[in-house]
Amino acid sequence: MPDRPERRAPRTTKLVVRRTEWVTPHLIRIVAAPSEPTDIDRFADSPHTDAYVKVVFRRPGVSYPEPFDMATARELPREQWPTLRTYTLREVDQAAGELVIDFVYHGDAGLAGPWAATAEPGTELLVLGPGGAYTPDPSADWHLLVGDESALPAIAAALAKVPSGAPVHALVEVDDPAEEQKLGTEGDVRLRWVHRSTSGEDPLVDAVRELEFPEGRVHAFVHGEAGSVRQLRRHLLDERGLSLDQLSISGYWRRGLDDEGYREVKKTMAEADAEADARRAPQRA
């Protein structure tokens, strides 16, 4: 049996925070620039509106070889590896040489939010990537964008890229009206903010179920809390009759679990979804 190819760590890019902004009471915008200016090109060249990076957090008390490199860091014992958190790029301004990343802040809980709350100009920000998979299909008759705060940067980026006049239904779940943002687009958008503070157990699921779908082929982007996304996946495929090629859909996080805990169950959830898709396919053949 041939040896497995060695898994290589993705490239590490060092950014430096230029400024921060509290966009809403629970959302902090970090604007940062690569320490090597030409590195901005790799992010600007991404074709995906859900372009994301892995933010690297050094473990306290661990000395990493400098300049920092993830591949080198992984030569250390696993318990000393940096912690990673995934964030979608809200914007890439190639002319200014800047990346914009939004962080949700819920007090001192978690890792990334508290870091963003204390970040200031000159603070180091290490990232891996970018990755990505979705961009609005210009041939679609209309677009459906659904998600919570974790998906809002990708939804905002998609709205900025939909063709002029293209019909869009966007449903975004946030805590309350104070968390709403201005979202720019040339599309013909119907934007609905869904508020957890005044809605039911799964308000985003309810909102999609209530939506009257326009005629024509839809291209949908649906991301957010994994439990809600799984319900929406079944609804869109089984009740609305969408096909998998019309969907970009997955959970970004799972209620009650941190990133590490969610990664442990995510594979099992994906396998279950794949089995359901296999059973669904013969019914449509």
Side-chain angles (χ1 to χ4, degrees), residues 39-47 89 92-95 99 130 161:
D39 283 343
I40 194 68
D41 298 338
R42 293 191 297 107
F43 300 94
D45 290 343
S46 173
L89 298 175
V92 179
D93 187 336
Q94 190 171 19
L99 306 178
K161 288 291 182 70

Side-chain angles (χ1 to χ4, degrees), residues 47-85:
H48 307 298
T49 55
D50 67 341
Y52 64 86
V53 295
K54 300 280 186 180
V55 178
V56 181
F57 294 95
R58 301 171 186 254
R59 289 191 181 271
V62 178
S63 296
Y64 297 98
E66 298 294 344
F68 180 91
D69 179 71
M70 193 64 187
T72 304
R74 285 181 175 172
E75 295 175 0
L76 298 171
R78 192 176 185 88
E79 64 271 13
Q80 296 182 13
W81 288 11
T83 303
L84 305 180
R85 292 290 184 265

Side-chain angles (χ1 to χ4, degrees), residues 120-193:
E120 57 187 19
T123 299
E124 175 192 80
L125 175 58
L126 298 171
V127 300
L128 311 177
Y134 164 83
T135 195
D137 181 356
S139 69
D141 295 304
W142 66 283
H143 299 269
L144 176 64
L145 306 174
V146 180
D148 57 19
E149 295 96 333
S150 66
L152 184 50
I155 290 174
L159 284 172
K161 288 291 182 70
V162 295
S164 178
V168 183
H169 282 271
L171 297 90
V172 184
E173 179 184 330
V174 295
D175 189 53
D176 55 41
E179 296 301 317
E180 297 178 10
Q181 303 177 31
K182 292 183 178 179
L183 304 176
T185 182
E186 293 185 0
D188 180 12
V189 62
R190 277 79 167 173
L191 172 62
R192 177 180 174 184
W193 294 98

Side-chain angles (χ1 to χ4, degrees), residues 197-216:
S197 58
T198 57
S199 303
E201 183 177 348
D202 286 298
L204 198 58
V205 176
D206 294 339
V208 176
R209 288 183 178 277
E210 295 166 2
L211 179 65
E212 183 176 347
F213 276 29
E215 295 293 329

Side-chain angles (χ1 to χ4, degrees), residues 239-251:
E239 298 176 38
R240 298 287 191 167
L242 273 64
S243 58
L244 286 171
D245 65 342
Q246 293 176 264
L247 282 172
S248 171
I249 185 165
S250 69

